[in-house]
Amino acid sequence: MKTNRIITLVLPLCISTSAWAQPRTAESLNLGWQFSRDSLFQHAQRVDVPHDFQIEQPWVAPAADEQGDNTDVAANIKSRLSARGFKEMGAGWYRKNVRIEECKNLKIEDLKNNRRLLLDFEGIMYVGDVWLNGVHIGGTDYGYVGFEIDVTKLWRYGEDNEIIVKAHTMTEKNSRWYTGGGLFRNVTLVSTPADLYFERHPLYITTRDNKYVRVAADFTNRMKKRETTMKVSIYDPQGKLVAEQTAQRGGNPQTRTLTIQMPETEIPNPQLWDTEHPNLYTAVAQLLYADGTVADEVREQFGIRTIEYGPDFGLKLNGKKLLLKGYANHHTLGALGAAAYPRAIEKRLQLMKQFGINHIRTSHNPYSRSFIQLCDKYGILVVDELYDKWTQQHTGGRVPFMNHWAQDVTEWVKRDRNSPSVIMWSLGNELQQDPTLPFNDFGVTCYKMMRPVVNRYDSTRKVTVAMHPRYRNWETDSLPCDLAMQTDIQAYNYRYMYFPGDGRRFPWMTFYQSEASINRMGPNWFDMNLDKVIGLAYWGAIDYLGESQGWPAKGWAQGVFDIALEPKPKAYFMKSFLTDEPLVHLAVIEDNDTDIEWNGIQTGNEILSENWNRTPGSKVNLFTFTNGDEVELLLNGKRLGRQQNSANPEQRNRIVWKGVPYKAGRLEAVAYRNGKVIARHALQTAGKAIKLQVTADNSQWQADGEDLQHLRIVAVDSKGRRVLDANDELAFQVEGDARIVAVTNGDIESHELNVTNHRHLWQGSAMVILRAGSKPSKITLTTTSDKYKTVVSKLETK
């Protein structure tokens, strides 16, 4: 393959006075903070970032005055903290002393010579303030977006520099879900030249016709010589140089901060990015001094792909029709709370892909940068969302929304605009339910105000807002809200039944079901015109903390995966229509919670299990979830019947079996297509639990201070079958350079804390999550209980 080189100037052969300078360097400050709930640090503990201090706090049960006449706290009682995960609100304080001499990547001899020093915070939950050496230097009023602070003049060389951060959750009314609190994302110390450097999130990489690439960059030149030279090198997914350009930009007497626009270049034999082949190129941009030495350097991965939207086809990726098969959850990670661990995110994405998910909506705020990068890596399509409602109450609560939206939009778009996984911007959620929005027009003016700022920094993606429409008729027709007439994409939460009528009246509309109810899973997919819609995102597909529908549940419990990422039986129903993989799965109907209502939507679900240990002589009702033509049911080899899959959206892929007589042994479902067996699934009667099995998930566990190891502990019988009624308490002990950061078992109603060293089994399972230290080490996890033989798991970090 030939290298495509476009040279737009000849570099002058002269010596620069800044030839000594080194390109930018960065030092992670994630490890070794002191944390305290008070500013005096009287009871400080050592913590590492990412860190969520709220997840460590005790649960706050509803008080007697919130329970009314019912004093039983086990009843389904809501309280002032039910939305925020039954955790108390408040502040957390962090302190860290930093010496440049002790940094691995920063050199004091370089920093003392014409350098800038920046503190970079990817986020502080929920609002935050920062002090350096006793001086307040900045903070954030909306902690989901990052910021940086120039600390060059305040930094003390040769001595400790004290960084103090205050993170505050604000009041329980300032969010509708569990946010967590603290330094929940990366903290970094960055050094760049002071005379010639790239700005924050400087690169803007666009592609055209699946073969052309254009790179622009924001920079500042403070030298006497105003002309600036930038070199861009592009490497293919295998690391081979495929294009190289150099361009120059003259000075401007009015500003030192400018943009260099590189000429468009054609990439030879482009390897396209899509959901099955997420090929990533790398652009390396360098600002050059007059003698050709590098002043500053940044790099960014990107993908070559096209996205198109239209009312006749919905969404096309690289010219091919594609449906979004997704979910919408909050940013938290189960037992880890809000702490944004890349490995925990990766584990979720890997699991979701196995079940047919190709899309995530980041409701209702930007997720971490590592989340977006992992979606780039795994081919997950993202609707990137900035806010819930556009009010002070719902965007931090500290200052009016109008005071910070422009800064938020700029940071959000510039951070994520080069990621091929991001296919749409969403500015907010369900705005028309709140009459307190600025301008009192249900968001129309605010949208018209923000959209041009989005387009200023990215003109390649459509912009929307997730809406809950006003109604003419609850079931069949809507009056599109005024905002739906303005957005590029018509994103309706739950009201997919309005798509046909609204489409007839407004044929230019393109529809996306931005939230879909798991209660209506199946019909809300099959009832859409899949040839024309963009797709959907199932709300709360994974159980999460906060938005509890009543104590003792600590959060949302209507997902198809529990909070410990165990798939519930209904996850296989979802998989049956989101994938082409032949499938059949048995689910025992234990109870029915379908009358639960949330936000005007029925959200409850049947309570399903895979338990075939039942009362002798009883009868059970079952589902078989399948994408086959028909299913045969067998009990201990005896045929109980055969049923056809229905074409009716209300029953499709979900066959009901009523009054099945229970007998101990093996219940098996066999799926057929065109008369041939395509899949089998069986439930078996388990014996008594006699031992524990421990399975680790990360064979490449890195000794970087942050990587995680998830270990699943399961109680099994003599034949290795999981015993669902095992609920014994387990205790964990770790030896080596690692520590326990969370324990869980999937039970959203458990009163046990997540940050401890013990946990009961629930449905025969528990999980312990270990965080690696910074040195390669042999790690031993010892699991003990009063009932089972001690299990010693030997692990290793690399």
Side-chain angles (χ1 to χ4, degrees):
M1 181 185 295
K2 291 185 177 180
T3 298
N4 183 13
R5 297 180 181 269
I6 301 177
I7 307 297
T8 60
L9 72 151
V10 178
L11 295 177
L13 296 176
C14 57
I15 302 300
S16 166
T17 58
S18 300
W20 57 267
Q22 299 296 317
R24 73 174 50 211
T25 51
E27 183 81 13
S28 172
L29 300 185
N30 283 359
L31 305 183
W33 291 79
Q34 288 181 304
F35 172 77
S36 176
R37 292 305 303 273
D38 66 86
S39 61
L40 299 178
F41 292 89
Q42 293 179 335
H43 303 285
Q45 65 184 96
R46 185 192 184 279
V47 300
D48 295 325
V49 174
H51 179 251
D52 174 6
F53 70 79
Q54 259 200 319
I55 198 69
E56 302 173 358
Q57 297 175 189
W59 308 111
V60 180
D65 60 346
E66 294 176 298
Q67 299 170 37
D69 295 333
N70 188 346
T71 58
D72 179 7
V73 296
N76 288 330
I77 303 298
K78 293 186 179 181
S79 81
R80 64 183 181 86
L81 295 175
S82 58
R84 301 292 293 268
F86 294 103
K87 299 286 189 177
E88 195 55 80
M89 302 297 103
W93 293 80
Y94 296 81
R95 180 171 65 190
K96 182 178 177 68
N97 290 317
V98 181
R99 281 176 177 253
I100 293 296
E101 295 85 349
E102 297 174 357
C103 292
K104 296 179 179 179
N105 300 321
L106 304 181
K107 297 180 180 180
I108 190 168
E109 57 268 25
D110 290 342
L111 292 174
K112 285 184 176 181
N113 293 289
N114 199 27
R115 302 287 287 183
R116 297 164 71 231
L117 203 57
L118 308 169
L119 268 177
D120 186 303
F121 292 86
E122 194 185 333
I124 302 174
M125 187 52 43
Y126 185 19
V127 299
D129 291 280
V130 183
W131 289 262
L132 176 63
N133 297 325
V135 178
H136 184 267
I137 57 173
T140 177
D141 294 315
Y142 185 62
Y144 290 108
V145 297
F147 63 99
E148 67 182 18
I149 306 169
D150 190 327
V151 296
T152 306
K153 294 181 180 179
L154 285 175
W155 198 265
R156 299 170 182 171
Y157 296 97
E159 57 184 290
D160 283 344
N161 288 265
E162 183 186 61
I163 303 169
I164 292 180
V165 178
K166 177 186 179 183
H168 203 296
T169 64
M170 302 302 288
T171 75
E172 62 270 16
K173 296 180 179 180
N174 290 126
S175 180
R176 299 190 296 134
W177 55 87
Y178 174 84
T179 62
L183 289 176
F184 73 129
R185 296 180 185 166
N186 294 328
V187 183
T188 309
L189 187 61
V190 179
S191 167
T192 78
D195 53 1
L196 182 59
Y197 54 87
F198 286 110
E199 288 293 315
R200 182 171 177 81
H201 308 311
L203 298 188
Y204 182 32
I205 306 167
T206 56
T207 63
R208 182 175 65 85
D209 295 343
N210 278 345
K211 60 182 177 179
Y212 297 105
V213 175
R214 185 186 296 272
V215 179
D218 299 329
F219 70 95
T220 293
N221 183 341
R222 298 194 180 280
M223 300 187 298
K224 291 182 179 180
K225 179 180 173 57
R226 294 294 187 90
E227 291 78 14
T228 302
T229 302
M230 183 173 76
K231 177 182 176 181
V232 173
S233 304
I234 297 176
Y235 297 86
D236 70 12
Q238 292 73 42
K240 184 177 182 180
L241 179 67
V242 293
E244 195 168 81
Q245 297 177 299
T246 307
Q248 194 171 52
R249 171 70 192 260
N252 184 320
Q254 296 181 333
T255 179
R256 297 245 180 204
T257 300
L258 297 166
T259 301
I260 291 184
Q261 180 74 61
M262 304 297 289
E264 188 174 68
T265 184
E266 182 175 354
I267 301 299
N269 304 313
Q271 301 173 56
L272 303 187
W273 186 96
D274 61 31
T275 57
E276 299 303 318
H277 309 92
N279 295 303
L280 292 172
Y281 285 75
T282 301
V284 179
Q286 297 174 323
L287 292 174
L288 304 179
Y289 289 119
D291 64 354
T293 59
V294 178
D296 199 4
E297 178 180 298
V298 292
R299 60 183 59 215
E300 186 97 67
Q301 288 190 312
F302 68 98
I304 299 174
R305 59 102 176 98
T306 58
I307 49 176
E308 303 169 72
Y309 296 94
D312 296 327
F313 57 84
L315 168 66
K316 289 183 180 179
L317 177 63
N318 298 329
K320 298 178 181 178
K321 165 68 178 177
L322 184 73
L323 284 163
L324 295 187
K325 305 171 182 179
Y327 74 96
N329 261 61
H330 295 303
H331 64 288
T332 51
L333 299 170
L336 295 164
Y341 288 97
R343 173 57 196 148
I345 297 166
E346 182 179 48
K347 183 178 179 69
R348 288 186 168 219
L349 298 184
Q350 291 170 331
L351 176 64
M352 293 302 106
K353 287 211 75 166
Q354 293 174 19
F355 280 80
I357 293 292
N358 67 7
H359 159 56
I360 297 173
R361 171 183 165 221
T362 69
S363 45
H364 306 293
N365 46 260
Y367 287 11
S368 67
R369 180 60 189 154
S370 57
F371 167 84
I372 298 293
Q373 291 170 329
L374 285 164
C375 288
D376 292 341
K377 176 182 177 180
Y378 284 100
I380 301 291
L381 302 168
V382 177
V383 172
D384 203 345
E385 191 157 275
L386 179 58
Y387 294 122
D388 186 18
K389 301 176 187 298
W390 300 334
T391 68
Q392 177 174 337
Q393 176 184 350
H394 298 101
T395 59
R398 188 156 72 170
V399 300
F401 169 75
M402 296 295 290
N403 288 19
H404 61 89
W405 72 264
Q407 177 181 331
D408 296 344
V409 171
T410 301
E411 169 72 11
W412 167 61
V413 173
K414 292 186 70 175
R415 191 197 74 166
D416 291 344
R417 62 186 174 181
N418 297 322
S419 286
S421 62
V422 176
I423 60 166
M424 193 190 308
W425 305 113
S426 175
L427 285 165
N429 176 67
E430 296 182 355
L431 304 168
Q432 59 276 16
Q433 291 186 350
D434 195 330
T436 68
L437 295 172
F439 309 111
N440 196 30
D441 60 357
F442 295 100
V444 171
T445 299
C446 271
Y447 177 81
K448 290 181 177 180
M449 180 178 65
M450 287 190 282
R451 189 182 184 280
V453 181
V454 174
N455 290 157
R456 161 65 179 85
Y457 296 106
D458 177 47
S459 60
T460 68
R461 295 172 178 87
K462 299 295 186 182
V463 184
T464 193
V465 173
M467 289 166 268
H468 209 345
R470 300 198 302 274
Y471 320 101
R472 283 177 179 164
N473 178 285
W474 180 263
E475 294 298 333
T476 61
D477 204 2
S478 79
L479 177 65
C481 63
D482 294 342
L483 190 56
M485 307 300 288
Q486 304 296 327
T487 56
D488 299 335
I489 301 296
Q490 284 60 53
Y492 290 4
N493 289 352
Y494 307 107
R495 294 293 138 200
Y496 64 94
M497 64 285 295
Y498 299 158
F499 293 169
D502 289 1
R504 285 190 296 271
R505 285 192 298 277
F506 308 103
W508 51 269
M509 286 185 167
T510 305
F511 296 105
Y512 162 55
Q513 194 179 167
S514 39
E515 288 179 23
S517 170
I518 289 174
N519 172 277
R520 293 289 295 162
M521 180 175 276
N524 54 20
W525 174 262
F526 295 121
D527 268 341
M528 294 192 298
N529 184 340
L530 299 179
D531 291 332
K532 291 189 173 184
V533 299
I534 291 172
L536 56 65
Y538 279 111
W539 178 257
I542 305 173
D543 290 352
Y544 58 85
L545 293 174
E547 292 193 289
S548 169
Q549 295 172 333
W551 181 270
K554 308 308 184 298
W556 181 265
Q558 308 303 322
V560 295
F561 299 89
D562 70 28
I563 199 166
L565 298 183
E566 280 277 290
K568 301 178 187 180
K570 199 166 185 176
Y572 295 91
F573 176 47
M574 180 182 74
K575 185 177 183 179
S576 75
F577 60 85
L578 294 188
T579 76
D580 296 325
E581 178 184 331
L583 181 147
V584 66
H585 200 90
L586 283 157
V588 179
I589 303 172
E590 301 285 4
D591 203 348
N592 194 318
D593 266 352
T594 55
D595 60 342
I596 297 175
E597 184 176 301
W598 185 256
N599 231 6
I601 301 297
Q602 294 297 119
T603 59
N605 286 293
E606 302 95 349
I607 298 175
L608 308 177
S609 82
E610 298 178 17
N611 183 11
W612 201 242
N613 285 62
R614 316 193 72 81
T615 304
S618 62
K619 293 185 178 182
V620 298
N621 297 328
L622 307 167
F623 283 127
T624 48
F625 302 133
T626 188
N627 48 22
D629 298 334
E630 56 183 343
V631 172
E632 186 175 35
L633 197 64
L634 300 95
L635 179 58
N636 297 327
K638 181 181 178 180
R639 291 180 170 85
L640 299 183
R642 195 160 172 156
Q643 289 195 58
Q644 297 283 329
N645 196 350
S646 175
N648 183 340
E650 295 292 330
Q651 289 91 39
R652 186 170 172 181
N653 286 19
R654 180 171 46 187
I655 299 172
V656 180
W657 305 78
K658 295 186 177 181
V660 175
Y662 169 73
K663 287 185 180 180
R666 177 184 176 90
L667 179 70
E668 184 176 22
V670 182
Y672 296 84
R673 185 177 295 156
N674 298 323
K676 297 182 179 180
V677 175
I678 61 167
R680 296 175 181 269
H681 181 242
L683 304 180
Q684 297 186 64
T685 303
K688 293 183 178 180
I690 63 168
K691 64 179 181 179
L692 301 173
Q693 290 182 345
V694 182
T695 305
D697 77 330
N698 188 355
S699 61
Q700 300 298 316
W701 195 15
Q702 299 300 304
D704 59 4
E706 299 179 27
D707 200 12
L708 299 181
Q709 184 74 263
H710 298 74
L711 295 108
R712 176 79 63 181
I713 301 98
V714 177
V716 298
D717 68 6
S718 61
K719 295 184 178 180
R721 297 172 296 203
R722 179 170 166 177
V723 181
L724 294 174
D725 64 358
N727 60 0
D728 311 274
E729 185 175 24
L730 310 179
F732 309 105
Q733 182 177 349
V734 179
E735 295 179 5
D737 194 18
R739 71 180 192 277
I740 297 171
V741 289
V743 291
T744 184
N745 60 13
D747 182 7
I748 200 76
E749 295 187 356
S750 173
H751 296 318
E752 295 176 290
L753 295 177
N754 296 114
V755 185
T756 183
N757 64 352
H758 56 90
R759 191 74 171 192
H760 281 82
L761 294 166
W762 183 68
Q763 296 186 352
S765 174
M767 179 186 286
V768 58
I769 306 174
L770 306 183
R771 178 172 180 163
S774 300
K775 299 177 181 179
S777 175
K778 302 290 185 181
I779 309 295
T780 299
L781 173 70
T782 302
T783 304
T784 59
S785 75
D786 293 337
K787 179 176 180 179
Y788 307 105
K789 182 180 178 181
T790 296
V791 179
V792 178
S793 305
K794 295 186 179 298
L795 308 160
E796 183 178 1
T797 57
K798 301 177 181 180

